[in-house]
Amino acid sequence: MLLTPGHSAALVDGQGHQYVSGNEGTNSSEARASIIRHGVRDGYMFWTSDATAAYRLVIPDVEVITRTMITLTRVPAVIVIDKLIKKTTPSTLQARFYAFNTDGKGSATAAEEGFAITRPSAMLRGLAIAGSGVAVHSALPDIPAERAKTYPFIEASTVRPQKESFLVSVLEAVRGTGRGSATVTAEGGVYTVKFTGAGGQVTVRIMDTGAVPEFEIR
């Protein structure tokens, strides 16, 4: 659970970035990432992390991998945008999301329309989309079964290996067992996320512009 697959993080062909497993003691990791863009605006905040150097220690063929987070404070919701560019070999890209379950009251379930991470009085509704298609499943980590049941997770994965992968995950917090309002569509490299609630509609347009995506919110 110290390694990347044990966290809510991006994976390349199921592999994470370099990190010490704990068998070596307390040696520091060589993995590094940098925040290359961030900001706070009316109704949202955002940042982009470039973790290329960390993943390249394990997968030298990685040209670039970034994660952009957009937090919408009025919805409330979070949009996670993962971008992977490989040098030569096509790969799949995964986004993994763990449920908080140390008290045994959390769960993670996948369905055709998306996925849900559930707590006793609230739920995180999720949708994922990618140009190459997305497969979503729920699972437990590959650790001893008695411990694994404490860590259920959702994994959204691009379907076809590609040299460039662009994966958008939408996480919307709802009370109780509500369904949420998010819809996601894609056309010509533009991904449109719409939320409809009591306060009106929020629309986020996301453009696949290479290593760092551009977006607009209205």
Side-chain angles (χ1 to χ4, degrees):
M1 299 303 291
L2 288 173
L3 304 180
T4 318
H7 294 75
S8 296
L11 303 173
V12 180
D13 293 328
Q15 297 184 81
H17 61 68
Q18 187 270 347
Y19 195 68
V20 293
S21 66
N23 295 326
E24 305 93 334
T26 57
N27 295 339
S28 62
S29 170
E30 296 178 3
R32 298 289 185 271
S34 301
I35 301 296
I36 58 175
R37 179 180 64 169
H38 63 91
V40 178
R41 305 288 187 270
D42 183 26
Y44 68 97
M45 61 192 74
F46 66 93
W47 53 261
T48 297
S49 173
D50 184 346
T52 303
Y55 284 82
R56 197 178 285 165
L57 290 170
V58 176
I59 312 166
D61 194 48
V62 169
E63 178 71 28
V64 66
I65 182 168
T66 65
R67 166 164 282 191
T68 299
M69 304 281 288
I70 306 170
T71 300
L72 302 167
T73 57
R74 295 172 183 166
V75 177
V78 174
I79 300 174
V80 184
I81 308 165
D82 292 310
K83 176 68 179 190
L84 169 68
I85 302 175
K86 296 289 297 303
K87 297 176 184 177
T88 58
T89 305
S91 287
T92 56
L93 175 64
Q94 294 79 40
R96 185 171 288 193
F97 303 101
Y98 276 86
F100 180 81
N101 188 43
T102 56
D103 58 0
K105 297 179 181 180
S107 65
T109 56
E112 283 188 17
E113 66 274 15
F115 58 89
I117 293 176
T118 306
R119 291 291 298 161
S121 59
M123 182 178 293
L124 195 67
R125 288 286 186 184
L127 298 170
I129 189 170
S132 63
V134 172
V136 179
H137 71 278
S138 58
L140 299 174
D142 186 19
I143 60 175
E146 189 60 29
R147 292 184 58 208
K149 65 183 182 182
T150 305
Y151 304 104
F153 65 84
I154 293 290
E155 185 171 282
S157 176
T158 58
V159 174
R160 297 192 307 273
Q162 294 182 309
K163 287 180 65 176
E164 289 198 27
S165 298
F166 192 72
L167 176 61
V168 177
S169 304
V170 180
L171 310 173
E172 183 179 9
V174 297
R175 296 184 184 276
T177 57
R179 294 191 59 83
S181 68
T183 61
V184 186
T185 58
E187 183 177 356
V190 178
Y191 298 72
T192 302
V193 186
K194 291 184 179 180
F195 303 91
T196 304
Q201 187 177 88
V202 176
T203 301
V204 183
R205 295 180 72 249
I206 303 163
M207 286 69 77
D208 182 2
T209 50
V212 181
E214 295 297 331
F215 61 90
E216 58 183 29
I217 299 175
R218 62 179 189 273

